[in-house]
C-alpha cells in the first residue's frame, strides 16, 4: 500500500519495506534514511533535504537501494525523477547524481514547480532489468 | 445599507433583483481558502543582494545603473535607451503589443517590478540572472544594436559614464576588455533594476487583515474583488501557476497562444530559451558569475530541455498587472478582460499535444469574468 504524503516524507508513515531491505541493506544506512519502499525483490530507503519539500524550492534526495539475492546487495544503477501524472508533465529540471557508495547516491536539483500531486519515481537497475518504485506526495502552495 | 438595498431591489425588474441579491451575498472564505490567500503574502518579500553580481545592492552602482538605464549613449544611433521601452510612467513597459527599438521585436515588453525574485529572465528564460538579461537588449540589433567594442568606446568617450565606471569597478574602462566592460555595465544596470519593487496593494491590505482577523479591514476590500479572489484560488485554479507573494511560479507553460510572430516563422519560446541559455558564456555557470562557489547556478545546471518546452513562455507576476497592458508574451490581449476571456474559452486543440492536461475552458459567466478582473485590479 502506498500513501500520499504531504510535503514531508516521514519514515513512520511508510511501513512498506519488508525483509528484503533489512536483509540486504546496511543497517546503519537504514537508520539514517527512514523512508522506505519495497517491491518485487527491490528495496530502497531515502530521505529528502530539506525534509519538508516546498513548492518551487530545490531539494535533494539521498537513496540507498538494495536488491534481493545472494550476491546482489547493491544495484548497478539508480535513477530518480518525478512528475505530476494528473497534469501529464514531469519536472523542469533533471536531477544530478552524486554517488556516495555502492547502491547509495544523492540526487540534487529536484524542483516541484507547481502545487498538487507529485509522484517520485525510483528506478533501480540490476543490469538491464529495471524495478520501479514510486512515492506519491502532495505539495501545497 | 440593508434598507437602501431592499428599496433598490423593489424598484427594479425581477431579473435585476436577482442579480442585485446575488451580488450582495457576502463572500466567505473557509479555512482552506484562507490559507491559500495568506500564502500570497506578506508583501514585500525580503530579498538580499544577488551573489552573482558583486555590485548588487551597492548605492553607487544603483545610481550609476540608473544613469546607464536612461542613457541614449548605450544605443548605436543614440536615439533610444532602456527607458525608451521600459517607461516608468507605464509601469516600466511601453504600452504597445510588441516592443520597438531600432526595429520591432517579437515579444511584449515586460514590466521590471520585483526582478530580484525572478529565477529566469525574459519571456523564454534565456537568461538566468538580471545582469545577463540586461546584456541582451544592448546587443540585439532590433533594440540598442551595440557590440561590446562600440559599447566600450562609448563608455570611454562619455566622461560621466567613464567616471562612474571607474568609481564602481575600480579601473577605467580602457583597462578592461570590451566584454568585461559590457558585463560590468550590465551588472550596474541590474543593480538599479533590482530596486524597482511594486508597492503594497489593496490585496495586501486585505490579506494582512485576514491574517489579523481585522473585520473592518476585511470588509473594506471590495465585494467583486473578493468574489474574483475566490474564483482565482477556486474554480479558476489560477494560483496553480500564479502562486506565492509574487503571484508566479517563475516557470514556463503553454497556454494555447499562437507562437508565430509572423507567417512562417516560429517563436520557440522556452525551448529556444534553454538552448540560448546553455550556449551563453554569460550564464551563471560561466566565467562572469561573481559567486565563486556557483551556488547560484543550481537551476541552470539542472534545467531540462524537452519537446514540451516548445510554445512555453514564462508565467508573469501579476503584481501591478492592471498597469501593464497589453498582455501575454506577444501582447495579443489588449485588456485584462481579454486575458480572462482567453482562459474562459481556451482552445484545447491549440495546446501542445505533449503539454499539460491542466488547462480546460473555465466557461465563466460574464459576472465571474468581471469579478476576476476586479480582483486582478487590486494586485
Amino acid at each position: 500500500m502506498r500513501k500520499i504524503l504531504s510535503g514531508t516524507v516521514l519514515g513512520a508513515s511508510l511501513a512498506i519495506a519488508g525483509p528484503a531491505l533489512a536483509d540486504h541493506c546496511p543497517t546503519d544506512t537504514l537508520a539514517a534514511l527512514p523512508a522506505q519502499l519495497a517491491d518485487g525483490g527491490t528495496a530502497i530507503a531515502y530521505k529528502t533535504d530539506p525534509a519538508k519539500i516546498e513548492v518551487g524550492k530545490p531539494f535533494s534526495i539521498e537513496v540507498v537501494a538494495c536488491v534481493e539475492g545472494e550476491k546482489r546487495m547493491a544495484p548497478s544503477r539508480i535513477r530518480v525523477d518525478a512528475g505530476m501524472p494528473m497534469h501529464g508533465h514531469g519536472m523542469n529540471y533533471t536531477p544530478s547524481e552524486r554517488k556516495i557508495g555502492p547502491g547509495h547516491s544523492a540526487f540534487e536539483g529536484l524542483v516541484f514547480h507547481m502545487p498538487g500531486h507529485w509522484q517520485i519515481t525510483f528506478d533501480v537497475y540490476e543490469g538491464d532489468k529495471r524495478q520501479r518504485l514510486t512515492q506519491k506526495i502532495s505539495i501545497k502552495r | 445599507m440593508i434598507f437602501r438595498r431592499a428599496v433598490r431591489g423593489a424598484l427594479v425588474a425581477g431579473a435585476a433583483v436577482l442579480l442585485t441579491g446575488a451580488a450582495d451575498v457576502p463572500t466567505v472564505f473557509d479555512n482552506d481558502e484562507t490559507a491559500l490567500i495568506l500564502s500570497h503574502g506578506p508583501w514585500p518579500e525580503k530579498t538580499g543582494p544577488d551573489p552573482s553580481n558583486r555590485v548588487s545592492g551597492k548605492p553607487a552602482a544603483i545610481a550609476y545603473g540608473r544613469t546607464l538605464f536612461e542613457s541614449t549613449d548605450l544605443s548605436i544611433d543614440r536615439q533610444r535607451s532602456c527607458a525608451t521601452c521600459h517607461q516608468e510612467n507605464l509601469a516600466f513597459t511601453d504600452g504597445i503589443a510588441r516592443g520597438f527599438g531600432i526595429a520591432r521585436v517579437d515579444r511584449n515588453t515586460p514590466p521590471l517590478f520585483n526582478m530580484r525574485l525572478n529565477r529566469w529572465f525574459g519571456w523564454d528564460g534565456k537568461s538566468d540572472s538580471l545582469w545577463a538579461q540586461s546584456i541582451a537588449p544592448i546587443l540585439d540589433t532590433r533594440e540598442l544594436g551595440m557590440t561590446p567594442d562600440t559599447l566600450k568606446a562609448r563608455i570611454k568617450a562619455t566622461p560621466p559614464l567613464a567616471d562612474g565606471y571607474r568609481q564602481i569597478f575600480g579601473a577605467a574602462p580602457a583597462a578592461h576588455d570590451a566584454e568585461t566592460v559590457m558585463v560590468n555595465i550590465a551588472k550596474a544596470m541590474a543593480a538599479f533594476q533590482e530596486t524597482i519593487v511594486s508597492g503594497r496593494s489593496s490585496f495586501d491590505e486585505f490579506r494582512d487583515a485576514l491574517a489579523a482577523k481585522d473585520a473592518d479591514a476585511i470588509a473594506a476590500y471590495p465585494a467583486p474583488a473578493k468574489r474574483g479572489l475566490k474564483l482565482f484560488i477556486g474554480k479558476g485554479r489560477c494560483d496553480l501557476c500564479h502562486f506565492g507573494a509574487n503571484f508566479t511560479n517563475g516557470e514556463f507553460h503553454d497556454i494555447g497562444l499562437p507562437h508565430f510572430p509572423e507567417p512562417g516563422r516560429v517563436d520557440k519560446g522556452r525551448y529556444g530559451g534553454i538552448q540560448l541559455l546553455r550556449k551563453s558564456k554569460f550564464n551563471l555557470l560561466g566565467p562572469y558569475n561573481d559567486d565563486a562557489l556557483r551556488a547560484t547556478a543550481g537551476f541552470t545546471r539542472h534545467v531540462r530541455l524537452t519537446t514540451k518546452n516548445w510554445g512555453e513562455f514564462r508565467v508573469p507576476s501579476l503584481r501591478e498587472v492592471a498597469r501593464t497592458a497589453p498582455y501575454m508574451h506577444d501582447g495579443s490581449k489588449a485588456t485584462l478582460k481579454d486575458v480572462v476571456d482567453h482562459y474562459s474559452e481556451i482552445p484545447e486543440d491549440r495546446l501542445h499535444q505533449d503539454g499539460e492536461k491542466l488547462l480546460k475552458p473555465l466557461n465563466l459567466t460574464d459576472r465571474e469574468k468581471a469579478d476576476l478582473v476586479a480582483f486582478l485590479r487590486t494586485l
Side-chain angles (χ1 to χ4, degrees), chain B residues 60-367:
Chain B
I62 292 167
Y64 182 56
R66 176 159 204 148
T67 300
L68 293 164
F69 188 85
E70 295 170 348
S71 172
T72 55
D73 286 315
L74 267 62
S75 64
I76 194 70
D77 57 4
R78 287 198 165 93
Q79 295 297 307
R80 66 207 85 246
S81 70
C82 303
T84 303
C85 293
H86 296 285
Q87 299 171 35
E88 187 166 358
N89 64 339
L90 291 175
F92 292 94
T93 71
D94 50 15
I96 57 178
R98 284 161 53 181
F100 202 106
I102 293 170
R104 192 159 84 136
V105 299
D106 291 343
R107 298 176 186 153
N108 180 251
T109 301
L112 298 179
F113 295 111
N114 314 312
M115 289 287 108
R116 188 69 193 91
L117 300 176
N118 279 22
R119 172 183 305 159
W120 302 109
F121 299 83
W123 283 107
D124 58 5
K126 69 176 180 293
S127 303
D128 53 4
S129 71
L130 184 51
W131 56 266
Q133 178 63 21
S134 299
I135 291 172
I138 295 173
L139 298 181
D140 194 321
T141 54
R142 301 164 302 173
E143 298 187 60
L144 300 179
M146 301 288 270
T147 65
D149 288 332
T150 57
L151 179 66
K152 177 179 173 179
R154 285 283 176 83
I155 300 295
K156 275 173 61 182
T158 310
L161 299 184
D163 291 346
Y165 186 95
R166 189 181 303 106
Q167 182 193 352
I168 307 302
F169 297 105
H176 292 152
D177 65 75
E179 194 168 275
T180 299
V181 170
M182 181 178 68
V183 171
N184 284 341
I185 291 295
K187 286 180 175 174
M189 289 201 292
F192 161 62
Q193 292 169 81
E194 288 167 1
T195 66
I196 303 170
V197 176
S198 59
R200 281 178 59 78
S201 64
S202 58
F203 167 78
D204 295 318
E205 301 301 331
F206 170 72
R207 181 259 173 213
D208 290 358
L210 207 57
K213 298 183 170 61
D214 180 342
D216 289 342
I218 290 171
Y221 192 56
K226 282 180 184 147
R227 294 193 300 268
L229 170 56
K230 201 173 184 75
L231 286 165
F232 188 85
I233 59 173
K235 175 181 174 181
R237 302 195 299 169
C238 312
D239 65 336
L240 288 181
C241 296
H242 293 281
F243 63 74
N246 201 26
F247 287 87
T248 176
N249 66 353
E251 291 288 335
F252 303 82
H253 297 270
D254 174 11
I255 57 167
L257 290 168
H259 41 268
F260 292 90
E262 59 190 23
R265 191 163 61 84
V266 69
D267 184 337
K268 293 194 277 187
R270 182 56 170 157
Y271 192 89
I274 295 174
Q275 289 178 315
L276 291 170
L277 170 81
R278 287 179 171 171
K279 280 196 298 189
S280 174
K281 67 167 73 169
F282 306 115
N283 72 34
L284 292 175
L285 294 168
Y288 292 106
N289 184 350
D290 294 328
D291 164 26
L293 297 176
R294 299 294 186 268
T296 46
F299 292 109
T300 309
R301 188 177 294 117
H302 292 103
V303 70
R304 171 180 283 170
L305 180 68
T306 71
T307 54
K308 86 170 184 67
N309 296 130
W310 278 88
E312 288 185 336
F313 292 91
R314 191 166 55 82
V315 178
S317 167
L318 298 180
R319 291 207 167 259
E320 301 280 2
V321 71
R323 299 174 57 209
T324 64
Y327 302 101
M328 307 302 194
H329 75 275
D330 55 359
S332 59
K333 305 298 177 192
T335 67
L336 285 174
K337 165 77 163 48
D338 293 337
V339 173
V340 171
D341 282 345
H342 172 74
Y343 285 106
S344 184
E345 289 103 38
I346 195 162
E348 285 184 273
D349 57 343
R350 222 317 270 125
L351 294 171
H352 200 294
Q353 62 180 1
D354 294 336
E356 298 178 35
K357 299 165 187 154
L358 176 65
L359 290 172
K360 305 281 181 195
L362 296 176
N363 297 316
L364 300 171
T365 66
D366 287 346
R367 224 288 283 270

